C-alpha cells in the first residue's frame, strides 16, 4: 500500500489520547481541543464520514476532583470518569457547533461489541448517525464498566470501532510523531512505514509514564494488529501538530503508517477474531497447524493435543500451537468436556467457516 491511496479514504476513525487533550494541570486544553475539532470538521466538510474516539474523561475528572495522579481504586476512577465525561462532551458539542456540525455521544464497553445482537445494533446506530451527517463521539463507558476500565484502553476500542463499521482508515493521535526507534536516546527516528508486526517492533513499543494515560505505544501496536489483519490501514501521528490530518489524507509522509493485509476479513470473521474474551484454548499439533494455516481445513479431533478452560459449544476459543503461540480463533462446535472425553469421531471441532487465522 502507498500513502497516496489514503486520499481515497471515505470513512475515517480518529482516536485522540488524554495527553493530547489536556494541559499540564490535567484539565481539558480548550485551544488544543479547538484545533483538533477544526481538523475533524474540515475532513467532514471535505465529504468524509468522521468518527472520534476520545480519551480524556478520567483525566478531565481528575483535575476537577483534585487528583494529581490517575487513581488506582475502581470507584475513584469511575467518579473521575463520570465527572469528566460530561465536561468533555459539553466542550465537544460547543466546538463542533461552531462549524455547523452536530455530535452524538456513544458510550461503549467491549461487552457491548462481543454480544452479536448488540454488536450489530452498535454498528447500525453508528452508520445511521453518519448517514445523517452527525459526528459520533465514542468513549468507553468507564463510569459503569469493570474489567475494561482496569485493563482496557481506547486504542483497542478505536480499533474495534474501525473494524466494526468497517472504516477505511484509523488515525491514532498521540503526543509523539509515531513509532520511535531509539526512543529517549541521542538518535531517535520515526519509523515511517510498518508492514509487519514482529517481536523486534513490540520491543520498541513501551508503556506510558503519563499520569493520565493507560496504554502507551504497546497498546497502539496491539490496535494496529487488529486493523491490519482486517485489511485496514492505520497511522500513528502527533496530535499536537496543526493540519496533521490534512497531511495524512493528502498522502504526505506523516507519522507511522501500518500497512494492512492484502485481503479484508468479512464481518463475521472480524467478530469472531477480535470482539471476544476467549473462554478456552485448544493446543494443536504441527500437522493440524499446517492444515489450518496453509490448507484451509477445519480442526478435527485427532489434531488436538490438549484442551484448557471451561467452555460450551458456540463459545470462542483460542487455537495455539504446541509452543503456546496463538495463531487462530474460532467458535467451538463442542464443549470442553466433550473434547476432553476423547470420544469425538468424524466431526469438526471448529468448522472452517467459524475459524479465523490471525
Amino acid at each position: 500500500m502507498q500513502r497516496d491511496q489514503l486520499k481515497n479514504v471515505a470513512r475515517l476513525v480518529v482516536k485522540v489520547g488524554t495527553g493530547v487533550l489536556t494541559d499540564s494541570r490535567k484539565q481539558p486544553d480548550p485551544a488544543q481541543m479547538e484545533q483538533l475539532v477544526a481538523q475533524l470538521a474540515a475532513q467532514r466538510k471535505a465529504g468524509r464520514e468522521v468518527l472520534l474516539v476520545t480519551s480524556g474523561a478520567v483525566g478531565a475528572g481528575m483535575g476537577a476532583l483534585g487528583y494529581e495522579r490517575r487513581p488506582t481504586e475502581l470507584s475513584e476512577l469511575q467518579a473521575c470518569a463520570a465527572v469528566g465525561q460530561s465536561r468533555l462532551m459539553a466542550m465537544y458539542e460547543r466546538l463542533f457547533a461552531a462549524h455547523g456540525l452536530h455530535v452524538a455521544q456513544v458510550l461503549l464497553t467491549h461487552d457491548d461489541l462481543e454480544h452479536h445482537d448488540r454488536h450489530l445494533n452498535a454498528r447500525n446506530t453508528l452508520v445511521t448517525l453518519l448517514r445523517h451527517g452527525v459526528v459520533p463521539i465514542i468513549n468507553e463507558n468507564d463510569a459503569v464498566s469493570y474489567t475494561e476500565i482496569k485493563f482496557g484502553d481506547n486504542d483497542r476500542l478505536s480499533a474495534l470501532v474501525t473494524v466494526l463499521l468497517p472504516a477505511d482508515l484509523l488515525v491514532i493521535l498521540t503526543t509523539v510523531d509515531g513509532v520511535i526507534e531509539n526512543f529517549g536516546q541521542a538518535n531517535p527516528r520515526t519509523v515511517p512505514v510498518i508492514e509487519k508486526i514482529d517481536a523486534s517492533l513490540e520491543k520498541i513499543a513501551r508503556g506510558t509514564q503519563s499520569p493520565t494515560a493507560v496504554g502507551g505505544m504497546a497498546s497502539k501496536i496491539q490496535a494496529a494488529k487488529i486493523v491490519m489483519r482486517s485489511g485496514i490501514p492505520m497511522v500513528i501521528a502527533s496530535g499536537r501538530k496543526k493540519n496533521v490530518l490534512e497531511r495524512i489524507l493528502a498522502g504526505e509522509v506523516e507519522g507511522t503508517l501500518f500497512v494492512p493485509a492484502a485481503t479484508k476479513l468479512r464481518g463475521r470473521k472480524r467478530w469472531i477474531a477480535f470482539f471476544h474474551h476467549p473462554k478456552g484454548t485448544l493446543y494443536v499439533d504441527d500437522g493440524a497447524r499446517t492444515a489450518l494455516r496453509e490448507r484451509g481445513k477445519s480442526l478435527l479431533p485427532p489434531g488436538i493435543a490438549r484442551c484448557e478452560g471451561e467452555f460450551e459449544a458456540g463459545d470462542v476459543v483460542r487455537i495455539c500451537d504446541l509452543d503456546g503461540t496463538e495463531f487462530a480463533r474460532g467458535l467451538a462446535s463442542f464443549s470442553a468436556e466433550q473434547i476432553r472425553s476423547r470420544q469425538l469421531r468424524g466431526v469438526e471441532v471448529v468448522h472452517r467457516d467459524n475459524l479465523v487465522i490471525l
Side-chain angles (χ1 to χ4, degrees):
M1 179 184 186
Q2 303 298 318
R3 284 184 183 264
D4 198 55
Q5 293 174 255
L6 299 182
K7 295 177 181 178
N8 301 321
V9 166
R11 180 178 285 169
L12 170 69
V13 176
V14 177
K15 183 264 178 178
V16 291
T18 302
V20 174
L21 294 172
T22 56
D23 59 23
S24 60
R25 298 175 297 119
K26 291 84 179 177
Q27 302 286 329
D29 183 337
Q32 174 64 2
M33 291 182 68
E34 186 174 3
Q35 73 93 6
L36 285 168
V37 167
Q39 291 190 60
L40 293 165
Q43 295 307 318
R44 181 68 195 89
K45 291 178 180 178
R48 294 185 171 94
E49 295 179 338
V50 176
L51 301 94
L52 173 62
V53 178
T54 180
S55 297
V58 173
M62 283 171 55
L65 297 180
Y67 290 96
E68 292 187 1
R69 295 195 64 81
R70 186 181 177 90
T72 56
E73 290 293 326
L74 178 63
S75 60
E76 293 175 337
L77 281 168
Q78 291 176 326
C80 287
V83 171
Q85 184 64 33
S86 59
R87 298 180 78 209
L88 209 56
M89 277 305 301
M91 294 183 72
Y92 277 129
E93 186 167 25
R94 177 176 58 79
L95 291 169
F96 275 101
H99 297 275
L101 294 172
H102 294 291
V103 298
Q105 176 176 258
V106 180
L107 296 177
L108 296 171
T109 67
H110 290 311
D111 287 343
D112 291 327
L113 301 182
E114 180 175 359
H115 186 278
H116 194 252
D117 288 344
R118 285 154 62 189
H119 175 101
L120 294 177
N121 186 61
R123 181 187 184 278
N124 291 339
T125 298
L126 292 173
V127 170
T128 301
L129 289 170
L130 294 172
R131 189 170 67 242
H132 285 279
V134 175
V135 178
I137 299 181
I138 303 165
N139 198 359
E140 202 154 23
N141 197 358
D142 289 340
V144 298
S145 63
Y146 178 64
T147 302
E148 290 78 13
I149 200 171
K150 292 180 68 178
F151 304 112
D153 58 78
N154 276 343
D155 294 323
R156 177 174 173 81
L157 180 60
S158 68
L160 294 180
V161 168
T162 300
V163 303
L164 170 71
L165 290 164
D168 301 313
L169 174 67
L170 169 60
V171 176
I172 293 183
L173 296 179
T174 184
T175 54
V176 293
D177 288 332
V179 177
I180 309 297
E181 198 171 36
N182 302 323
F183 182 78
Q185 300 179 33
N187 56 338
R189 182 184 77 93
T190 302
V191 180
V193 179
I194 292 173
E195 296 184 355
K196 180 182 179 182
I197 295 176
D198 54 21
S200 61
L201 176 63
E202 291 182 328
K203 190 175 180 180
I204 292 174
R206 299 180 179 181
T208 181
Q209 300 301 314
S210 168
T212 57
V214 175
M217 191 57 68
S219 69
K220 293 168 179 55
I221 298 299
Q222 295 306 309
K225 283 184 177 181
I226 294 172
V227 296
M228 291 170 73
R229 180 62 186 91
S230 300
I232 301 169
M234 179 179 121
V235 174
I236 298 175
S238 172
R240 292 286 177 180
K241 285 187 176 179
K242 293 184 178 180
N243 303 318
V244 64
L245 289 180
E246 181 181 349
R247 286 173 53 80
I248 291 168
L249 291 160
E252 298 181 31
V253 177
E254 185 66 58
T256 300
L257 170 66
F258 291 81
V259 177
T263 56
K264 290 192 174 185
L265 288 177
R266 299 180 69 174
R268 176 176 168 78
K269 296 268 185 165
R270 296 196 303 270
W271 176 69
I272 292 171
F274 304 122
F275 291 90
H276 291 268
H277 301 293
K279 300 295 193 298
T281 304
L282 300 177
Y283 294 87
V284 303
D285 60 29
D286 293 343
R289 183 180 186 275
T290 299
L292 297 178
R293 285 185 63 93
E294 300 177 17
R295 299 205 296 272
K297 301 295 185 179
S298 298
L299 178 59
L300 307 179
I304 301 173
R306 71 180 190 275
C307 168
E308 292 185 354
E310 297 300 329
F311 54 88
E312 300 299 326
D315 287 340
V316 171
V317 295
R318 302 166 68 238
I319 300 175
C320 300
D321 60 23
L322 294 176
D323 293 329
T325 301
E326 182 182 9
F327 67 90
R329 286 189 182 183
L331 296 177
S333 300
F334 301 90
S335 70
E337 183 179 359
Q338 290 174 302
I339 295 168
R340 280 195 285 264
S341 73
R342 297 291 180 181
Q343 299 300 309
L344 298 175
R345 299 285 187 275
V347 296
E348 295 161 321
V349 176
V350 180
H351 191 279
R352 183 65 199 183
D353 291 346
N354 296 325
L355 185 145
V356 185
I357 302 300
L358 300 177

